[in-house]
Amino acid sequence: MKETVLKKFEEVFGDAEGVKVFFAPGRVNLIGEYTDYNGGHVFPCALTIGTYAAARVREDGRLRFYSMNFEKEGVIESSIEDLKPLKEAGWTNYPKGVMWTFGEKGFQITKGMDILLNGNIPNGSGLSSSASVEVVTGAILREFFGFEVSNQDLALFGQYSENKFNGVNCGIMDQFAIAMGKQDHAIFLDTADLSYTYAPVKMDGAKIVIACSNKKRGLGDSKYNERREECETALSELKKVVDIKSLGELTEEKFEECKSAIKDEVRVRRAKHAVYENQRTLQAVAALKADDIALFGQLMNASHVSLRDDFEVTGIELDTLVEEAWKVDGVIGSRMTGAGFGGCTVSIVKEDAISRFIQQVGEAYQAKIGYAADFYVVEVGGGPTIL
Ligand code: GLA
């Protein structure tokens, strides 16, 4: 891949002098969905697929971007003095947002850059291609400008730029999973204080299989921000009767005791999901540590039901993929992953059942939805690197 991006860089920008090549992964969340902005726990892992970037510094202030994933758009130009989100700037709003964020945080970018990207994460799949672009941009800026920022800072800067530059009120999970990824480990992160531990992903003869619904979505045009508002309103209602800072502080029992403070049935279900999903995540990590993969799978399944019925972020495509997966012998657990509304599911499948799984779920999906799903057997990889 390094050679591919270098060759393309030369073709697009004339020569490859002073170029370095970087990589940042995508991520999949195993469990702990829509808990991150509710002060709860998440359990994602970085993947070996991700975003490759060839980059160099320029002597002037020009920014030139090119993506091998959006070749039709050609070279998109901008300037370091003019970092504003623009609709017509398309995907370049992600790297530009990170450059802007560095400036906001006191790390001024003083020179322009030529940056070429090539990602092998399916776009809009819910495997965080945009967070991967944000983190790889942070790694590029750190390297070329010598900024003393940690990988955790890269995660926080990525989230800041997504929130303030690109207008999506996402939590910290995606950028954190990508910037802090560790090979063969998932990250057990408490989003309330960013404390975390790594847990080995040992699945006892099973693998992580991603099924991509091919229903495209972008967080900006989904109901993502609306769900966040619903959770925040529910929290402010609960605060009148219980002393908490986030929904993640509540146990199921405590929630049941005080839920009548929430004055709307829909908001009760949104908050219920956040509370129960957080508890499920704690149980799931304990189960994995105790080698109880069957219980881990059951908790994944329960997570999906809650996301479908209470949080309402699935849709017929994801529900079909998951419900068909549950029917296959050798499937330990299956749920939607990421923001939902399209995107992907994650399933833990016994190795000897994988081809049957892909065939059976693939056929049922095609028959019901009218177009094909794509399947990826993925490996758990590390964080950002210079190649
Ligand atoms: C998206 C957001 C994350 C998180 C998930 C849902 O991936 O970027 O912060 O909220 O949705 O768990």
Side-chain angles (χ1 to χ4, degrees), residues 340-356:
F341 306 107
C344 289
T345 67
V346 56
S347 306
I348 310 293
V349 187
K350 291 239 168 79
E351 271 172 69
D352 58 9
I354 292 178
S355 51
R356 188 171 64 236

Side-chain angles (χ1 to χ4, degrees), residues 76-344:
I76 301 180
E77 295 221 17
S78 163
S79 120
I80 204 72
E81 286 89 38
D82 190 28
L83 294 174
K84 283 195 294 286
L86 295 172
K87 212 164 186 224
E88 60 275 20
W91 67 270
T92 70
N93 282 322
Y94 292 107
K96 276 168 55 184
V98 175
M99 293 174 177
W100 172 83
T101 301
F102 268 72
E104 291 287 297
K105 303 284 178 190
F107 302 100
Q108 216 57 50
I109 314 293
T110 46
K111 289 179 175 174
M113 304 197 85
D114 294 329
I115 297 181
L116 175 139
L117 298 186
N118 188 15
N120 54 7
I121 309 171
N123 298 320
S125 62
L127 300 179
S128 291
S129 53
S130 55
S132 177
V133 170
E134 287 158 6
V135 172
V136 87
T137 305
I140 291 170
L141 299 177
R142 172 168 69 184
E143 173 66 15
F144 281 112
F145 295 96
F147 297 135
E148 292 205 6
V149 290
S150 65
N151 278 6
Q152 184 165 317
D153 293 330
L154 297 189
L156 290 165
F157 290 8
Q159 184 200 17
Y160 189 91
S161 82
E162 186 91 43
N163 293 168
K164 309 276 184 209
F165 196 86
N166 283 304
V168 178
N169 276 327
C170 67
I172 189 63
M173 173 171 73
D174 301 350
Q175 291 82 3
F176 200 96
I178 289 168
M180 305 296 283
K182 181 172 170 181
Q183 197 177 348
D184 296 328
H185 288 72
I187 308 174
F188 180 40
L189 170 69
D190 183 349
T191 64
D193 59 8
L194 297 188
S195 58
Y196 65 95
T197 51
Y198 291 106
V201 182
K202 41 179 175 30
M203 295 290 187
D204 190 24
K207 293 216 168 224
I208 302 174
V209 184
I210 308 279
C212 188
S213 70
N214 288 325
K215 180 185 181 203
K216 294 287 181 235
R217 51 150 271 276
L219 288 187
D221 53 39
S222 73
K223 290 188 171 296
Y224 188 89
N225 288 349
E226 182 186 299
R227 288 292 177 281
R228 184 164 186 164
E229 271 172 43
E230 289 166 341
C231 288
E232 282 167 358
T233 309
L235 174 65
S236 62
E237 291 168 297
L238 286 168
K239 277 179 166 174
K240 293 185 182 137
V241 296
V242 54
D243 183 23
I244 49 167
K245 285 193 226 44
S246 70
L247 296 175
E249 289 174 36
L250 293 175
T251 59
E252 291 111 323
E253 296 74 32
K254 192 76 200 161
F255 174 75
E256 294 301 330
E257 228 175 273
C258 57
K259 70 179 182 191
S260 59
I262 305 172
K263 295 297 169 220
D264 172 82
E265 181 272 329
V266 171
R267 281 199 299 276
V268 173
R269 288 190 284 118
R270 304 297 191 246
K272 178 179 176 199
H273 167 78
V275 171
Y276 279 62
E277 178 77 354
N278 184 41
Q279 297 300 323
R280 264 192 295 273
T281 306
L282 299 173
Q283 289 164 28
V285 175
L288 191 65
K289 284 187 181 153
D291 282 330
D292 192 346
I293 185 80
L295 176 57
F296 189 87
Q298 285 161 23
L299 291 159
M300 287 176 75
N301 297 349
S303 164
H304 186 82
V305 171
S306 176
L307 289 156
R308 183 190 67 195
D309 299 343
D310 287 338
F311 215 68
E312 295 183 281
V313 289
T314 58
I316 184 163
E317 297 83 3
L318 292 173
D319 289 339
T320 302
L321 286 174
V322 165
E323 284 155 24
E324 292 300 329
W326 289 342
K327 294 180 193 163
V328 179
D329 225 20
V331 170
I332 293 162
S334 184
R335 56 182 288 276
M336 61 149 266
T337 184
F341 306 107
C344 289

